Amino acid sequence: MNIGFNKPYLTGKELHYIAEAHARGQLAGDGHFTKLCSSWLEQQTGCHKALLTHSCTAALEMAAILANIQLGDEVIMPSYTFVSTANAFVLRGGVPVFVDIRPDTFNIDENLIEDAISPKTKAIVPVHYAGVACEMDAIMDIASRHNLLVIEDAAQGVLASYKGRALGSIGHLGCYSFHETKNIISGEGGALLVNDMALLERAEIVREKGTNRSQFFRGQVDKYSWVDIGSSYLPGEIVAAFLWAQMQEAESITARRLAIWHHYHGAFKALEQAGRVHRPVIPVGCDHNAHMYSLVLHNLADRTAFINAMERQDINCVFHYVPLHSSPQGVVCGWVTGELSVTTDLAERIVRLPLWLGLENDLESVIGKMKNYLSKVFD
Ligand SMILES: *Cc1c(COP(=O)(O)O)cnc(C)c1O
């Protein structure tokens, strides 16, 4: 029995809705299912407007355009994140300024942000790692004192919250992902949450190839034309139809993921007390969504040995990220503030365990093999 790291979940209604999208006669974007998905996101998050995109990468690229990033403008973000967090701004000529992460949540260390601000700083991009919120009160306070935009990379944060507020709905803009490795999926997919009303009109234009097509369809202008820069950031109805099936089950998907997460968490408690692993830390006020379960081992050699030992027992565990500041492209286009020692250290020690719906049946046996290895190997 091979236990993969991830397995995309199907609710069973996806193909039915895709057929319905075709029967309705619209496969291009912004039809029936796109509207259902956007309203669901607006209700769930309380954002002013949700715009579906074809990925979180696309939502981040839109955010970079809306933030008016110009050549040499600086954007503060963690180095411990996915490439798109930085790439979106680099594409506009921006400079990612990498800041270290907190040793507990692996989120950007809010206490280091002010040291990274310069007259060229335009935005802060907090990444809610594993659906556990960044310290948003502190970050929003810094941003308002320095007049900076906050763009939340909430790719992993669907149905997670900070002090009762949905991730992605707190900054000026928020970006979600529905990639097949996330909790709620459409293969590739994403959304831009617009919280600052002043950015909405331009967001719609940028998403529609720089045209005012959305206003035209609402009857607000009598013809539509090219009015700004933009690209094609909207997904077709096939993707939205698939996503709608997932959204309808989003609460139960999250609940089932949380059950698996807590199962892991309880199982590794004794090993943590024995000093063999570190388990995830969830601060008070953060309701996470069980996007990920990870352990932190002692060093790179231990992690490699663990992953190999699990692979031999047909359990696929993985690690990430190669820190952006030390990646070939990051070295060329990014700047570093401080030592980034937590980032560098964590990247060598973290291991992510399988977490997907359907794993429940094999979970006891998976955990048994992991505990068996971890309790023996260091004796
Ligand atoms: C998955 C992810 C992205 C990219 O999402 P896509 O939808 O694949 O473009 C960006 N940032 C973070 C933190 C992610 O986990």
Side-chain angles (χ1 to χ4, degrees):
M1 177 70 178
N2 191 46
I3 305 294
F5 172 69
N6 182 52
K7 190 171 168 193
Y9 173 70
L10 275 190
T11 69
K13 288 199 190 138
E14 285 83 356
L15 300 182
H16 170 74
Y17 287 151
I18 288 173
E20 186 185 330
H22 176 256
R24 283 175 175 272
Q26 180 173 358
L27 293 181
D30 278 343
H32 175 72
F33 287 101
T34 301
K35 290 194 182 82
L36 289 174
C37 292
S38 324
S39 321
W40 185 89
L41 284 167
E42 285 155 16
Q43 274 160 21
Q44 282 293 329
T45 66
C47 73
H48 179 57
K49 185 87 186 170
L51 299 173
L52 283 201
T53 58
H54 50 71
S55 62
C56 181
T57 301
L60 287 160
E61 288 181 19
M62 284 182 65
I65 294 174
L66 295 170
N68 257 322
I69 299 299
Q70 306 291 319
L71 193 64
D73 284 347
E74 296 171 19
V75 181
I76 295 171
M77 64 183 69
S79 167
Y80 189 71
T81 181
F82 187 63
V83 292
S84 297
T85 316
N87 226 350
F89 298 92
V90 173
L91 282 169
R92 315 287 341 141
V95 178
V97 176
F98 298 118
V99 168
D100 211 357
I101 49 174
R102 290 164 48 137
D104 56 352
T105 56
F106 317 149
N107 283 329
I108 191 166
D109 188 336
E110 65 279 4
N111 294 313
L112 302 177
I113 290 176
E114 274 192 290
D115 282 346
I117 294 176
S118 87
K120 293 221 142 202
T121 308
K122 288 280 151 37
I124 305 171
V125 187
V127 178
H128 304 295
Y129 184 71
V132 179
C134 296
E135 195 38 72
M136 289 307 290
D137 281 347
I139 291 170
M140 294 310 290
D141 176 59
I142 295 167
S144 76
R145 282 189 284 108
H146 295 269
N147 200 20
L148 304 175
L149 222 54
V150 174
I151 298 159
E152 297 178 72
D153 182 338
Q156 305 174 9
V158 179
L159 287 193
S161 62
Y162 170 79
K163 299 186 180 174
R165 299 170 70 189
L167 303 191
S169 75
I170 304 165
H172 301 85
L173 296 165
C175 304
Y176 275 176
S177 174
F178 306 115
H179 185 262
E180 71 165 359
T181 52
K182 303 301 199 291
N183 290 19
I184 308 299
I185 62 173
S186 58
E188 305 278 354
L192 179 71
L193 308 190
V194 182
N195 305 311
D196 180 350
M197 287 175 72
L199 296 172
L200 178 60
E201 186 177 321
R202 192 155 183 247
E204 287 184 332
I205 290 169
V206 166
R207 179 169 169 271
E208 277 277 22
K209 301 100 179 163
T211 72
N212 53 0
R213 190 165 179 266
S214 301
Q215 292 168 332
F216 173 70
F217 278 122
R218 284 198 297 264
Q220 292 164 335
V221 291
D222 60 7
K223 60 181 183 305
Y224 87 81
S225 48
W226 185 24
V227 295
D228 201 334
I229 61 166
S231 188
S232 179
Y233 289 119
L234 66 164
E237 279 287 288
I238 292 175
V239 167
F242 191 107
L243 184 58
W244 176 238
Q246 298 263 322
M247 285 178 167
Q248 286 187 300
E249 272 197 31
E251 308 270 352
S252 79
I253 290 172
T254 308
R256 283 177 66 186
R257 292 186 72 98
L258 280 164
I260 298 171
W261 193 99
H262 283 291
H263 210 116
Y264 273 136
H265 207 56
F268 294 119
K269 188 173 181 188
L271 281 164
E272 183 175 65
Q273 284 164 346
R276 302 211 155 155
V277 298
H278 287 291
R279 299 179 304 160
V281 174
I282 313 293
V284 177
C286 297
D287 281 321
H288 72 104
N289 57 3
H291 172 60
M292 197 187 300
Y293 198 87
S294 64
L295 292 174
V296 179
L297 305 186
H298 287 157
N299 52 46
L300 178 59
D302 280 1
R303 181 180 70 184
T304 308
F306 175 76
I307 291 176
N308 291 342
M310 290 306 109
E311 207 60 55
R312 283 194 296 275
Q313 299 179 78
D314 290 325
I315 300 169
N316 184 216
C317 300
V318 302
F319 64 86
H320 72 175
Y321 298 103
V322 176
L324 298 187
H325 75 280
S326 58
S327 310
Q329 181 62 26
V331 168
V332 171
C333 69
W335 291 349
V336 167
T337 15
E339 290 292 319
L340 304 201
S341 52
V342 183
T343 300
T344 307
D345 179 55
L346 178 78
E348 297 193 335
R349 294 164 57 201
I350 193 167
V351 58
R352 302 170 62 190
L353 311 186
L355 205 178
W356 40 269
L357 300 200
L359 177 63
E360 291 95 331
N361 300 332
D362 296 304
L363 192 55
E364 274 308 324
S365 129
V366 167
I367 287 175
K369 287 170 183 166
M370 289 174 176
K371 279 173 70 174
N372 192 34
Y373 176 83
L374 289 168
S375 45
K376 269 198 238 143
V377 72
F378 304 119
D379 282 342

